[in-house]
Amino acid sequence: MKDENCIFCKLANGQIPTRAIYEDEQFKVILDNAPATRGHALILPKDHYANLYELPENTAADAMKLARKMALTMQDRLQCEGFNLVQNNGESAGQTVFHFHMHLIPRYADDHQQILWNPTQPTDAELDEIRDRLTR
């Protein structure tokens, strides 16, 4: 299933030219046009899913396997020193294109990028309450 109004559907399915670095029947991996670092790429499913919540379980598993494969290739060929795998769901989490995608971000000692968050300090009671909600 495709969404004719989705730019990532068009990129993944060859309707818009890309700098593809990998493709199979299920996914296309393209270089990001506004990269965070050298080699920053996106894994795009060819079918349209707005986010992780809509993604079938087997497709999610295949995306993670592909992410690992691409990370190993990038580590070998780009000599990156680390790797971030980023996947946002929902506007409040930073998702701006509502087609599931994963960012593959090779990291280098001098890349000046920060993918961080501000740690909070919940109480033991707050952590226990969250655990209890999630394990009911």
Side-chain angles (χ1 to χ4, degrees):
M1 93 183 142
K2 315 287 186 268
D3 179 340
E4 64 184 46
N5 297 313
C6 174
I7 190 159
F8 278 11
C9 281
K10 292 175 183 178
L11 292 167
N13 290 286
Q15 294 172 301
I16 297 174
T18 64
R19 288 181 176 85
I21 58 173
Y22 175 87
E23 184 171 5
D24 62 26
E25 62 284 340
Q26 197 173 12
F27 299 99
K28 184 180 259 189
V29 182
I30 65 172
L31 291 178
D32 194 306
N33 279 339
T37 64
R38 182 173 172 267
H40 180 171
L42 303 173
I43 294 178
L44 305 174
K46 291 183 176 180
D47 285 332
H48 183 81
Y49 308 101
N51 51 44
L52 180 65
Y53 313 120
E54 292 184 4
L55 198 65
E57 192 172 294
N58 62 323
T59 305
D62 292 343
M64 186 57 76
K65 290 175 189 174
L66 179 54
R68 180 184 183 277
K69 175 181 177 172
M70 296 306 303
L72 290 169
T73 298
M74 290 174 164
Q75 183 182 36
D76 177 55
R77 296 183 187 170
L78 299 177
Q79 287 78 53
C80 58
E81 299 157 354
F83 210 86
N84 288 114
L85 184 61
V86 178
Q87 201 283 308
N88 303 318
N89 295 280
E91 195 173 328
S92 65
Q95 186 178 12
T96 57
V97 179
F98 293 89
H99 178 112
F100 174 89
H101 58 286
M102 296 174 74
H103 292 263
L104 304 169
I105 306 173
R107 298 304 304 271
Y108 308 91
D110 62 350
D111 66 25
H112 306 290
Q113 292 294 336
Q114 295 184 23
I115 301 175
L116 304 171
W117 55 88
N118 295 319
T120 62
Q121 296 181 337
T123 66
D124 286 342
E126 289 169 323
L127 290 172
D128 289 345
E129 187 271 331
I130 294 167
R131 179 206 53 218
D132 293 347
R133 280 181 181 250
L134 293 173
T135 58
R136 291 186 214 172

